[in-house]
Amino acid sequence: MRVLVAYSSKYGATRGIADRIADRLRDAGHEVDIEHCHDVEYPEGFDAFVIGSAAYLGKWRKEARRFVRHNHALLATRPVWLFSSGPLGTERIDKDGNDVLVAAQPKEFPEFEALIHPRGTTVFFGALDIEHLEGPDRIVSWMPANEALPAGDFRDWDAIDEWGRMVAADLAEQDA
Ligand SMILES: Cc1cc2nc3c(=O)[nH]c(=O)nc-3n(C[C@H](O)[C@H](O)[C@H](O)COP(=O)(O)O)c2cc1C
């Protein structure tokens, strides 16, 4: 299977997740390209897609939203998985008793589920380096500590590897 891992990442955390998923797919013998959503020129050349974006203010980044909406007719005919990178910190349950990863689903997932029927969607913990924030994002570094997004790398590589292997196995089954 020729798989495209298409991602949108502002500061690199999501790119790292996309790379890791691509590695798990390659381990299983799939042919994998990895491209920024903005740079994909010929999506028709791929048999399957993993599409991921960082979430900002509850939404996927513009290039990723555009990629899905623009290519929805093609994507609806191929196996597709979506992942989002976002929540920060080590708590799995928030102060209201909700699962942090469920609560952090980007606004677009219900729309995309109806539009392209992905075989799976998931949310991974992300990473934030306050020192490197640019433009309006720097407001985070001026916020009081109890209101700020916690800084650090919270990416759960075991969960990412597990998901990548699950996608690889599902693809292999379809190819058989
Ligand atoms: C200004 C700002 C807003 C954010 N908003 C959200 C959000 O609404 N939901 C979420 O899950 N994560 C949010 N995050 C965390 C980022 O999604 C997380 O740091 C992500 O892993 C960054 O990925 P990137 O480096 O690929 O851009 C926000 C981060 C910043 C700096």
Side-chain angles (χ1 to χ4, degrees):
M1 281 262 184
R2 187 155 183 237
V3 188
L4 177 65
V5 177
Y7 68 91
S8 178
S9 176
K10 194 165 185 184
Y11 298 107
T14 311
R15 162 80 207 215
I17 296 172
D19 278 333
R20 187 83 167 212
I21 293 168
D23 285 345
R24 297 294 75 79
L25 296 173
R26 290 190 187 107
D27 289 349
H30 299 295
E31 190 187 331
V32 185
D33 283 19
I34 176 157
E35 289 181 45
H36 191 284
C37 286
H38 188 59
D39 298 332
V40 181
E41 285 186 354
Y42 189 62
E44 292 81 1
F46 295 92
D47 304 307
F49 297 83
V50 175
I51 307 166
S53 172
Y56 285 87
L57 305 177
K59 292 165 74 173
W60 258 19
R61 301 197 71 223
K62 198 189 291 170
E63 304 89 357
R65 285 184 265 144
R66 228 178 243 165
F67 180 78
V68 173
R69 290 181 184 134
H70 184 72
N71 295 297
H72 73 90
L74 170 75
L75 295 173
T77 66
R78 302 278 204 275
V80 179
W81 286 263
L82 306 178
F83 75 88
S84 192
S85 119
L88 301 165
T90 52
E91 300 299 328
R92 309 294 301 224
I93 304 292
D94 69 18
K95 60 178 171 25
D96 302 318
N98 298 314
D99 183 320
V100 169
L101 296 178
V102 173
Q105 291 218 5
K107 277 196 186 86
E108 296 79 15
F109 270 11
E111 174 200 337
F112 293 167
E113 273 162 8
L115 199 60
I116 60 170
H117 313 294
R119 294 185 64 81
T121 63
T122 197
V123 176
F124 296 119
F125 283 99
L128 174 68
D129 179 354
I130 300 270
E131 300 290 312
H132 288 101
L133 292 179
E134 291 165 8
D137 292 348
R138 291 173 58 218
I139 195 168
V140 171
S141 57
W142 306 327
M143 283 157 69
N146 60 339
E147 286 174 26
L149 294 163
D153 189 346
F154 303 99
R155 288 173 293 179
D156 181 345
W157 298 113
D158 288 344
I160 295 163
D161 284 341
E162 193 184 324
W163 194 77
R165 280 192 286 265
M166 181 276 295
V167 171
D170 196 348
L171 276 173
E173 234 169 72
Q174 300 201 21
D175 213 13

